[in-house]
């Protein structure tokens, strides 16, 4: 089996569960946040630094790697693990979200998506079969079925057609996927319509994927609506398969979604924040680029043991960012990834000790005010 998922314990007061995901390149403790390495690198970070921070699995992007350097180049290098010198598990998305984000540069048909590259305007076509071919070349441990991500808001008729297309494409992906060392996940769609979400989940469960992504959330809808969708959907999904909420990474959403039964997350949010001079703290996001920190010689967070906090002050990091020095972005990135990996570790400990509800109240009670 390319993937084995074991539920180790469950919360008595929430739907959260503690698990272990075993893949070809090692095991992953869940719930887990996956840093995003879009171009086969987590921006500014070396692989050993990610390991030091406790990252057990990362995500790379099929669409971007297809365009540059080309999945054939990665395959010739021995696959994504060797190409980027990362020996732990990797998940690749299908490329669907990126393609559909191109707007007028793409056209969706039953067969697949015709689109123009955002790099040079060249014409391309990705079908479910092509997505599988690319992802088999990349060689990630977990790969995703090609889906259509409906925008928010969208009317019911469009979302139903999109959901039905995603199911048909999932069947084609399953038929085209032949690598025995990879696990192929289906992706539940259905927009914000609870009945369509349930239909999508049940249709994909008939195909018996080893895991299921939840796509089409965190696409602009209010957080309360996302939580309502999860509340309705999660009870329908298999208890013995991992549940992966795609594109979600803010600390409050991670805590809330874990309590609803989600096992896996990814998002570019922490690294993107870092590049804009924002760091994550227990009290919320801190705009460390701002003037109030020019003479603040404390670490970003007193109780954080990441490299940035152990060695440098807010004032120094602000200086680097204002001066355009790359080290500044590296330090903010290190801290943000360290924050989320520590948060997930604390969540797992709270589930194991059956005190997640208390932990969530304490954490959410102070997090959220931007600084």
């Amino acid at each position: 089996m390319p993937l084995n998922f074991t539920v180790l314990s469950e919360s008595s007061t929430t739907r959260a569960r503690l698990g272990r995901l075993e893949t070809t390149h090692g095991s992953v403790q869940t719930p887990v946040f996956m840093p995003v390495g879009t171009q086969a690198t987590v921006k500014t970070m070396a692989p050993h630094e990610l390991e030091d921070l406790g990252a057990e699995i990362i995500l790379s992007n099929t669409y971007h790697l297809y365009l540059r350097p080309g999945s054939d180049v990665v395959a010739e290098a021995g696959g994504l693990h060797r190409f980027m010198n990362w020996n732990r598990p990797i998940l690749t998305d299908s490329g669907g979200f990126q393609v559909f984000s191109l707007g007028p540069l793409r056209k969706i048909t039953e067969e697949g998506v015709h689109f123009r590259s955002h790099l040079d305007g060249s014409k391309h076509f990705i079908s479910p079969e092509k997505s599988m071919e690319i992802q088999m070349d990349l060689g990630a441990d977990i790969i995703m079925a090609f889906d259509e991500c409906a925008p928010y808001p969208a009317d019911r008729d469009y979302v139903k057609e999109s959901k039905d297309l995603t199911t048909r494409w999932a069947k084609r992906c399953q038929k085209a996927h032949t690598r025995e060392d990879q696990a192929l996940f289906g992706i539940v769609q259905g927009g914000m319509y609870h009945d369509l979400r349930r239909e999508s989940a049940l249709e994909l469960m008939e195909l018996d994927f080893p895991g299921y992504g939840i796509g089409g959330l965190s696409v602009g809808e209010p957080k309360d609506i996302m939580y309502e969708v999860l509340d309705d959907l999660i009870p329908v999904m298999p208890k013995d398969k991992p549940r992966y909420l795609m594109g979600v990474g803010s600390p409050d959403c991670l805590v809330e979604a874990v309590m609803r039964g989600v096992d896996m997350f990814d998002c570019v949010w922490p690294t993107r924040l870092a590049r804009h001079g924002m760091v994550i703290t227990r009290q919320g996001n801190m705009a460390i680029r701002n003037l109030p920190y020019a003479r603040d010689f404390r670490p970003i967070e007193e109780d954080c043991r990441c490299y940035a906090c152990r060695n440098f002050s807010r004032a120094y990091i602000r200086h680097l960012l204002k001066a355009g020095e790359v080290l500044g972005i590296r330090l903010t990135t290190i801290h943000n990834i360290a924050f989320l990996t520590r948060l997930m570790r604390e969540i797992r400990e709270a589930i194991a000790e059956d005190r997640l509800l208390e932990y969530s109240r304490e954490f959410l009670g102070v997090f959220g005010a931007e600084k």
Side-chain angles (χ1 to χ4, degrees):
M1 292 290 290
L3 182 140
N4 184 56
F5 179 67
T6 305
V7 177
L8 302 174
S9 65
E10 298 180 84
S11 166
S12 64
T13 54
T14 72
R15 291 199 180 102
R17 67 259 192 96
L18 184 70
R20 182 176 62 248
L21 191 66
E22 297 177 42
T23 76
T24 304
H25 286 86
S27 63
V28 177
Q29 301 175 81
T30 64
V32 63
F33 175 79
M34 300 180 284
V36 175
T38 301
Q39 311 270 11
T41 178
V42 176
K43 285 183 170 46
T44 79
M45 299 288 292
H48 74 273
E49 293 174 317
L50 292 169
E51 292 181 9
D52 292 345
L53 291 176
E56 294 184 332
I57 179 172
I58 62 173
L59 179 145
S60 285
N61 186 268
T62 293
Y63 165 81
H64 288 283
L65 294 175
Y66 159 71
L67 291 178
R68 183 176 55 194
S71 58
D72 56 332
V73 174
V74 176
E76 187 177 339
L80 201 49
H81 293 86
R82 288 187 180 177
F83 189 55
M84 65 183 296
N85 193 31
W86 174 259
N87 298 317
R88 297 185 179 187
I90 298 175
L91 182 149
T92 47
D93 59 14
S94 68
F97 179 79
Q98 285 72 31
V99 167
F100 300 125
S101 298
L102 294 172
L105 295 176
R106 52 89 171 142
K107 179 182 179 182
I108 304 169
T109 69
E110 180 69 32
E111 287 306 306
V113 183
H114 298 268
F115 65 96
R116 288 185 178 274
S117 165
H118 72 288
L119 297 173
D120 59 10
S122 57
K123 294 181 179 180
H124 298 270
F125 174 71
I126 293 184
S127 63
E129 293 78 10
K130 182 64 176 178
S131 177
M132 293 298 97
E133 177 187 327
I134 297 167
Q135 292 188 81
M136 285 190 286
D137 278 349
L138 296 176
D141 302 86
I142 301 172
I143 70 173
M144 306 302 296
F146 196 58
D147 65 323
E148 182 186 1
C149 181
Y152 175 83
D155 65 67
R156 181 184 175 83
D157 289 343
Y158 176 85
V159 174
K160 185 179 188 309
E161 290 179 9
S162 174
K163 184 270 296 181
D164 291 344
L165 181 62
T166 290
T167 300
R168 293 193 297 272
W169 282 0
K171 294 177 181 178
R172 288 167 58 186
C173 286
Q174 200 171 57
K175 184 177 180 179
H177 181 246
T178 58
R179 275 193 70 153
E180 295 183 355
D181 61 344
Q182 289 180 317
L184 170 63
F185 282 21
I187 301 179
V188 176
Q189 289 289 353
M192 309 305 150
Y193 301 94
H194 293 189
D195 59 330
L196 296 182
R197 283 281 176 180
R198 293 193 297 271
E199 283 181 19
S200 178
L202 293 171
E203 290 165 0
L204 293 175
M205 286 162 58
E206 289 183 4
L207 301 176
D208 195 26
F209 288 99
Y212 297 90
I214 303 170
L217 291 178
S218 192
V219 290
E221 79 281 3
K223 291 179 181 179
D224 287 348
I225 291 180
M226 178 176 71
Y227 300 151
E228 289 170 6
V229 170
L230 293 175
D231 282 334
D232 189 75
L233 173 63
I234 293 295
V236 179
M237 299 181 72
K239 293 183 178 180
D240 61 341
K241 305 285 182 70
R243 307 155 180 163
Y244 163 30
L245 180 55
M246 308 177 73
V248 170
S250 64
D252 53 336
C253 291
L254 294 178
V255 172
E256 293 279 6
V258 165
M259 289 196 294
R260 289 163 169 81
V262 175
D263 307 296
M264 304 168 65
F265 304 87
D266 83 280
C267 196
V268 299
W269 182 79
T271 51
R272 181 175 291 164
L273 271 186
R275 296 195 300 278
H276 288 85
M278 298 283 286
V279 289
I280 313 168
T281 76
R282 293 277 174 176
Q283 289 72 42
N285 300 333
M286 175 193 297
I288 202 168
R289 290 181 60 97
N290 289 357
L291 184 60
Y293 303 105
R295 288 180 168 81
D296 190 336
F297 302 109
R298 295 172 294 170
I300 297 171
E301 283 198 295
E302 296 286 353
D303 64 343
C304 179
R305 299 303 299 160
C306 78
Y307 177 76
C309 289
R310 282 188 288 111
N311 292 281
F312 304 105
S313 68
R314 298 175 180 183
Y316 180 66
I317 295 172
R318 177 186 183 272
H319 157 69
L320 295 176
L321 293 169
K322 298 297 285 186
E325 291 289 345
V326 174
L327 179 58
I329 299 175
R330 278 179 41 75
L331 295 176
T332 54
T333 302
I334 287 170
H335 173 79
N336 285 355
I337 294 177
F339 184 97
L340 293 186
T341 54
R342 182 175 63 160
L343 172 64
M344 301 311 292
R345 183 173 64 252
E346 291 176 358
I347 287 173
R348 291 192 297 268
E349 291 170 353
I351 297 172
E353 297 169 6
D354 202 18
R355 54 176 179 83
L356 181 63
L357 192 59
E358 293 81 0
Y359 175 86
S360 68
R361 288 171 177 163
E362 178 184 345
F363 181 85
L364 296 173
V366 297
F367 182 84
E370 291 199 357
K371 297 177 67 179

